[in-house]
Amino acid sequence: MKTFSLEPELQTFEELTGCRICLHIYSDVFFRGNVLLVNKQRRSHRKTHPERCGREQRSYCIRHCMHDLNKRMASSPERDLFAVHCRKGCFELVSPVYRGGRCVLTVFAGLLDPADKKKVRTIARLLPVFAAGLEAKAAKITLPEKSLQGSYAERIQEFIEQNYYKDISTADAASAVHISVSRLCHILKENGLGTFSQMLTAERIYHARQLLSFSDPDLHLYEMALLCGFREYEHFSRTFRKETGLSPTQWRKKHLL
């Protein structure tokens, strides 16, 4: 099987700019099966910048570079560039990438000297374009194109795959493929696919397993539940255990790479 990797693109950007890239990944678009398309150490600032970030308190780093930044991005979803300056004196430029209305990737470029204004301006121009291109290439690698002329069953499955993280219903799916709800339910039964709710749950649990295995280990479980379409962590935990036999915490401990 051919191995796909985005490391050459990341390393080239680093060589040309003199920056190191750290990634916060909030989607399985950077996975192909059980393979992560980037070096897993890029998920951690402490491993990307051990000489600076590695010496800061871990709890502060998680709060400052993940949770506080995520709140800033959520309050300004139209922005494609942010600056992060921590108490350790570390300065980074950050570019979030959105797909389907949610953040799927955050790209950090650093560490920068804020006094080097020419370099900062250069990175500020390049980073949003690079981040968007990186996500687009990952999506092209991991998400094969599907024919819009496929069967109704295929189109229903495609709708679920594209919208599993949203609050969607059988009526939404029926409307998307231009059939009635009763017809949709008959098609699923006819093809042995179960109910719409069962298909949606299976898709959400699939993505939860991927995130638990490959995403930043500092990502809170309740945030992961939201990314997978579960509005309440308790519901996510119960459903995950029912489907896999393990709690989300147990799965992460057993499978995290």
Side-chain angles (χ1 to χ4, degrees), residues 115-242:
D116 189 347
K117 295 182 179 180
K118 181 178 179 180
K119 183 173 182 177
V120 171
R121 285 196 297 268
T122 298
I123 302 301
R125 287 193 295 267
L126 292 176
L127 189 61
V129 178
F130 176 75
L134 189 70
E135 189 274 338
K137 184 165 185 179
K140 185 176 181 181
I141 291 173
T142 60
L143 301 176
E145 293 184 359
K146 297 183 179 180
S147 171
L148 294 178
Q149 301 303 316
S151 68
Y152 279 123
E154 290 171 338
R155 290 165 63 187
I156 295 166
Q157 180 64 52
E158 182 177 11
F159 173 80
I160 292 174
E161 290 174 357
Q162 293 177 349
N163 298 278
Y164 67 91
Y165 56 91
K166 300 177 182 177
D167 186 13
I168 56 175
S169 66
T170 308
D172 295 323
S175 176
V177 299
H178 308 294
I179 57 176
S180 67
V181 170
S182 59
R183 175 62 175 154
L184 182 145
C185 294
H186 176 75
I187 289 170
L188 297 185
K189 183 177 180 180
E190 188 177 48
N191 285 272
L193 296 174
T195 66
F196 176 81
S197 178
Q198 290 171 335
M199 292 178 66
L200 179 59
T201 296
E203 186 70 17
R204 287 172 170 171
I205 295 300
Y206 165 76
H207 288 277
R209 293 200 309 267
Q210 293 290 82
L211 287 176
L212 285 166
S213 300
F214 296 107
S215 68
D216 189 330
D218 292 327
L219 184 64
H220 285 175
L221 292 178
Y222 72 84
E223 293 176 313
M224 194 173 296
L226 290 173
L227 289 170
C228 295
F230 294 92
R231 296 294 169 254
E232 297 180 357
Y233 177 74
E234 291 75 14
H235 179 214
F236 165 62
S237 183
R238 288 196 304 270
T239 304
F240 191 90
R241 183 185 287 276
K242 179 181 178 181

Side-chain angles (χ1 to χ4, degrees), residues 22-24 40-49 216-218:
C22 180
L23 306 172
H24 287 180
K40 65 181 181 180
Q41 292 192 347
R42 291 189 183 278
R43 300 174 301 173
S44 168
H45 274 85
R46 302 175 71 80
K47 292 180 179 179
T48 304
H49 306 289
D216 189 330
D218 292 327

